[in-house]
Amino acid sequence: RRSFCRNRKSIFSRLNEFSASMRRKTTVGEVDADVLDYTAGKDRVLDLALAAADCMGTAAHVTMLARVPVKPPLLEARHARQIIAELREVYLDAAEGRFAITLEDQDVHLAVERRLTERLGDVGKRVHVCRSRNDQIAVDLRLYAKVRLQEAIGAAAWLARMLVALAQRHEKAPMLGRTHMQPAMPSSVGLWASAWAESLLDDIQLLQTAYDLNNRSPLGSAASYGVPVPIDRQLTSDLLGFARPVHNVLHANQTRGKLEAIILSALGQVMLTLSRLAQDLIIFSMPEFGYFRIPAEFTTGSSIMPQKRNPDVLELLRAKAAKVLSHAHFVAEIVRASPSGYNRDLQEAKEPFLDGFELTIRSLRILAPLMAGLEVDEAALRAAFTPDVFATDRALELVAAGRPFRDAYHEVKAHLDQLAGQSPDEALAAKNHLGAPLGLDLAGMDAAARQVESWVAGEKKLHAACRDRLLGLKSKKKARTG
């Protein structure tokens, strides 16, 4: 028995020694290596995209701390200036790809704090007072989303303008209108192209609504319950260029996940528009239709068939639309069963959120030059018209002469063979009411898209001004380039 006890103690001792050797030291204490790797996940890679936002958030926070009316001060003004000077260096290093996040850092917040502590000693250790990583990531994601929503809205407006331009170039080009993919009624390229432009303008309204919801500062909510110090949340909100703070500190943190799902849903609506447009382009550029020719640079070849020019860009876009839509649902599912307060589940929402922006913005940007270079084959469009396509127009002519519609309907249906010789151009000319093929306000659509671009330019200017003021970037950039 004594031998067994000695052996057991020896085994436990070795296990403890092994366990100790497997623990990693971090800013927030020692953590088992496997647990650290599992919980850190991809944050040390994904968070590189948030470095600029984290520097801005920390600069605003320390500026505010230096003004809190308590004695002794939470942070002296001279120390705040030192921290901001170092944050500027972190920002510039991150922009040039020289900033790294280690596994021991876990995320961008602790990586920035480590850097500040390495360079400034005890001064760097003061940056986290009255703050939690919960409100840090919340503000980082909102600042990141603000910039990316500006990009998405601007790219959507530019694509809308390319579609309007296509509609203006071919406003009167006849195009067969289809329902159930079957020939239906006379239409035009102008109507087809501007329909997608108007859809994007609707999608932009959703993106701008998401932008407004995002444009509120959660900073200062700490771990969701505030702090027993008279911090100034309005000041940090103003310094960061937000419209206002999120009022309730618990709600400020609980918008995590839900806000990402809202933004992804809005991006998903954009991708729905793009995916359906892509499907039309694929179908109508097939040799059997030949209405459009996709620019060669937006097609790819086959590994075995020399003649092939495949619409891979458009096919991939359909799949990317499915990904963005699934990202929105996935993030909503993460939040669905979460209790109040912060829950680590939210970490898994970060990757689909960042990916949703990337997929949508890249898709918008690649479609704009494709649409600008799209060729329209008017001869193929006219050849697609068959006499039966004019049936509805003929029935309405009879109605105008006094026939009840249903009687006219059945008469035309019984004599479809009498519809030969109808002119697509005359049919279009008769459709000049609001929104019809020759009643389109294409100039108004273009003006609406330009107005959106002007709004985006203004928002970008405001954000850049806040960033440069917080970090003193303009003077530092001149020094580096000089």
Side-chain angles (χ1 to χ4, degrees):
R1 181 180 296 178
R2 284 195 298 270
S3 176
F4 172 76
C5 290
R6 282 196 301 271
N7 289 336
R8 186 173 66 174
K9 288 180 181 179
S10 176
I11 291 171
F12 281 129
S13 176
R14 290 176 183 175
L15 285 173
N16 288 333
E17 290 175 3
F18 177 74
S19 177
S21 69
M22 291 295 291
R23 298 178 72 80
R24 306 285 285 272
K25 186 177 181 180
T26 74
T27 303
V28 293
E30 289 191 352
V31 183
D32 177 86
D34 289 338
V35 171
L36 178 62
D37 184 64
Y38 185 79
T39 55
K42 296 182 180 179
D43 275 4
R44 56 191 183 276
V45 176
L46 298 173
D47 277 16
L48 290 171
L50 305 178
D54 204 73
C55 289
M56 284 184 66
T58 300
H61 184 67
V62 298
T63 299
M64 181 273 296
L65 289 179
R67 301 184 190 181
V68 175
V70 296
K71 291 184 178 180
L74 297 176
L75 187 68
E76 293 184 17
R78 63 190 179 91
H79 289 154
R81 290 192 293 271
Q82 289 177 334
I83 291 169
I84 289 171
E86 188 56 43
L87 286 170
R88 181 170 59 243
E89 294 302 312
V90 174
Y91 173 90
L92 294 170
D93 283 348
E96 295 169 6
R98 294 197 306 270
F99 180 71
I101 302 171
T102 68
L103 178 60
E104 287 75 16
D105 290 328
Q106 302 178 67
D107 55 39
V108 67
H109 322 302
L110 295 183
V112 170
E113 185 176 334
R114 170 181 54 80
R115 167 79 170 259
L116 295 174
T117 303
E118 288 174 351
R119 301 293 177 88
L120 304 174
D122 287 347
V123 171
K125 297 177 182 179
R126 296 177 179 272
V127 298
H128 204 62
V129 65
C130 296
R131 190 171 64 162
S132 166
R133 281 192 291 174
N134 297 346
D135 62 343
Q136 274 188 272
I137 185 58
V139 78
D140 284 5
L141 288 173
R142 283 175 181 259
L143 288 169
Y144 173 86
K146 177 182 279 195
V147 172
R148 303 245 67 188
L149 279 168
Q150 291 167 0
E151 293 176 10
I153 293 168
W158 178 245
L159 177 56
R161 286 185 57 200
M162 294 300 97
L163 286 160
V164 170
L166 177 65
Q168 290 172 328
R169 289 195 301 272
H170 303 283
E171 183 177 6
K172 297 182 179 180
M175 181 177 178
L176 194 60
R178 297 174 180 272
T179 61
H180 307 275
M181 276 305 294
Q182 304 302 309
M185 296 179 68
S187 182
S188 67
V189 173
L191 188 75
W192 176 85
S194 62
W196 300 116
E198 190 167 354
S199 182
L200 278 173
L201 290 173
D202 286 349
D203 297 335
I204 286 170
Q205 289 187 40
L206 286 174
L207 290 173
Q208 288 179 315
T209 298
Y211 188 90
D212 290 341
L213 288 171
N214 181 75
N215 197 20
R216 302 170 188 176
S217 174
L219 191 58
S221 57
S224 299
Y225 305 103
V227 294
V229 176
I231 60 172
D232 190 343
R233 295 188 61 223
Q234 184 65 57
L235 174 61
T236 53
S237 178
D238 293 342
L239 289 170
L240 291 168
F242 285 110
R244 63 177 176 83
V246 181
H247 176 69
N248 184 292
V249 291
L250 177 57
H251 176 59
N253 267 308
Q254 289 185 168
T255 57
R256 281 282 315 280
K258 186 173 182 180
L259 182 59
E260 286 97 304
I262 289 170
I263 292 171
L264 285 168
S265 294
L267 294 172
Q269 292 303 309
V270 174
M271 293 301 283
L272 274 177
T273 297
L274 302 192
S275 184
R276 296 185 72 188
L277 170 58
Q279 179 76 333
D280 263 14
L281 290 169
I282 291 169
I283 292 171
F284 294 145
S285 63
M286 291 169 57
E288 291 82 356
F289 288 87
Y291 299 168
F292 306 133
R293 279 188 292 275
I294 300 168
E297 58 269 28
F298 294 96
T299 63
T300 61
S302 163
S303 64
I304 188 172
M305 295 171 281
Q307 84 284 6
K308 292 295 294 297
R309 299 304 303 175
N310 300 320
D312 285 5
V313 167
L314 300 172
E315 291 169 351
L316 285 168
L317 194 151
R318 289 184 309 198
K320 293 179 191 299
K323 287 183 71 175
V324 175
L325 290 164
S326 66
H327 284 342
H329 180 71
F330 173 63
V331 172
E333 278 295 298
I334 289 175
V335 180
R336 178 183 58 81
S338 294
S340 63
Y342 174 78
N343 299 277
R344 191 65 179 265
D345 313 44
L346 288 170
Q347 181 176 323
E348 293 300 313
K350 188 184 297 178
E351 185 173 13
F353 185 56
L354 303 186
D355 191 47
F357 274 118
E358 190 67 18
L359 293 171
T360 304
I361 293 168
R362 291 184 66 190
S363 296
L364 286 164
R365 287 176 175 169
I366 202 165
L367 263 188
L370 188 155
M371 296 310 303
L374 189 72
E375 295 181 28
V376 175
D377 190 331
E378 191 166 330
L381 287 163
R382 290 180 177 276
F385 280 79
T386 54
D388 57 303
V389 173
F390 301 94
T392 302
D393 289 3
R394 176 56 184 157
L396 292 174
E397 287 177 7
L398 294 175
V399 169
R403 284 294 172 85
F405 174 75
R406 195 54 64 195
D407 292 347
Y409 171 94
H410 286 295
E411 181 174 335
V412 172
K413 188 171 185 177
H415 300 92
L416 292 175
D417 57 331
Q418 297 178 6
L419 296 174
Q422 300 292 315
S423 166
D425 301 294
E426 292 178 6
L428 290 182
K431 295 183 176 184
N432 54 22
H433 62 75
L434 178 67
L438 291 189
L440 296 168
D441 183 11
L442 298 178
M445 287 187 192
D446 184 66
R450 289 177 184 272
Q451 187 175 14
V452 170
E453 289 180 328
S454 178
W455 175 86
V456 169
E459 290 297 307
K460 285 184 175 180
K461 186 176 180 180
L462 285 172
H463 180 76
C466 288
R467 179 199 63 211
D468 291 352
R469 277 197 302 269
L470 274 171
L471 299 172
L473 279 172
K474 286 187 177 179
S475 59
K476 188 63 180 180
K477 286 178 180 176
K478 287 181 181 177
R480 279 202 171 189
T481 56

